Amino acid sequence: MTTLYDADRCPYCARVRIALAEKGIEYETDEIDLDDRPAWIYEKNPLGRVPVLEEDAFVLAESAVINEYLEERYPDPPLWPADPGERALARLLVFRFDQFSKPYCALRRADEGAGEAFERALGNLDALLEGQAYLSGREYGLADIAYVPWVLRARDRLGVELTRVPSVGQWVERLGARPAIAAELELVAST
Ligand SMILES: N[C@@H](CCC(=O)N[C@@H](CS)C(=O)NCC(=O)O)C(=O)O
């Protein structure tokens, strides 16, 4: 059995929830209270963070690594582009995710100048999405899954308007048609 140590409000967990749903993998969820974490979670992940994926004795942390694992273990449907160059560029986006998450966290903290910095970060995504339908390239995939949880939370929880980044807005609309993303949208609305 596959178990996901999960937290509804966590966007890193959302990455894994979405990948599991896209691949049609059955799993159990163990919801972790992030404000009162059980001590045993440190046995699963020494950093004490979620998500953690468990399959019998196999335990794996780090959302980007978990999703790479899921892609290799369950190759259908593929969530990386077939073209090596396109795949490398999509991986680069995931690798450099801090450039997006840092301005997002600053915005959540309401740091000075955070609104402008986050607009710039969104603007970078917008420029990319003007030339390609998905962050992963020509097809939807793991780079989209890596970023969309934060974009949904920025829009629906932090009141960030996507009108100034129309390509991002259209990308979110396109993604929202997918059941895996629609389920995440519902979760964001309900938590
Ligand atoms: N790099 C990790 C980050 C995971 C993470 O920061 N999870 C948060 C919840 S959204 C957490 O567990 N926070 C508890 C802590 O940092 O102690 C990943 O990609 O899985």
Side-chain angles (χ1 to χ4, degrees):
M1 187 58 191
T2 301
T3 302
L4 177 65
Y5 297 94
D6 192 20
D8 280 353
R9 71 173 201 233
C10 170
Y12 293 98
C13 292
R15 286 176 164 182
V16 179
R17 289 193 291 267
I18 294 168
L20 285 164
E22 293 290 358
K23 293 204 175 264
I25 300 163
E26 279 188 32
Y27 66 101
E28 284 174 351
T29 295
D30 196 332
E31 179 77 17
I32 301 298
D33 179 354
L34 291 174
D35 297 323
D36 184 20
R37 267 168 293 173
W40 53 256
I41 196 73
Y42 289 88
E43 287 161 29
K44 313 271 181 204
N45 177 4
L47 300 184
R49 293 185 183 147
V50 288
V52 175
L53 187 85
E54 189 171 71
E55 282 181 348
D56 303 319
F58 177 68
V59 181
L60 188 63
E62 290 296 333
S63 58
V65 179
I66 294 171
N67 279 0
E68 288 279 3
Y69 165 74
L70 292 174
E71 176 69 358
E72 290 190 4
R73 171 127 163 68
Y74 306 94
D76 266 338
L79 291 173
W80 277 137
D83 176 73
E86 215 174 324
R87 193 160 65 236
L89 289 174
R91 281 201 168 110
L92 185 60
L93 273 184
V94 179
F95 192 77
R96 292 192 172 156
F97 181 72
D98 275 7
Q99 292 182 355
F100 191 75
S101 63
K102 281 186 181 157
Y104 173 89
C105 291
L107 186 68
R108 271 194 64 193
R109 291 191 304 263
D111 289 357
E112 207 180 319
E116 292 77 8
F118 189 66
E119 285 245 338
R120 278 195 299 279
L122 266 184
N124 291 338
L125 293 190
D126 199 58
L128 190 60
L129 288 166
E130 270 175 31
Q132 60 190 55
Y134 296 101
L135 295 178
S136 301
R138 283 167 291 181
E139 305 287 337
Y140 163 82
L142 289 179
D144 304 280
I145 293 171
Y147 280 72
V148 73
W150 281 261
V151 177
L152 298 181
R153 284 163 177 77
R155 186 192 65 177
D156 297 353
R157 294 210 179 132
L158 305 180
V160 172
E161 299 270 355
L162 299 183
T163 42
R164 268 187 280 191
V165 282
S167 298
V168 171
Q170 287 157 18
W171 169 75
V172 167
E173 287 298 309
R174 263 197 308 282
L175 262 53
R178 305 186 70 86
I181 307 284
E184 197 54 38
L185 270 164
E186 268 183 39
L187 201 63
V188 171
S190 70
T191 50

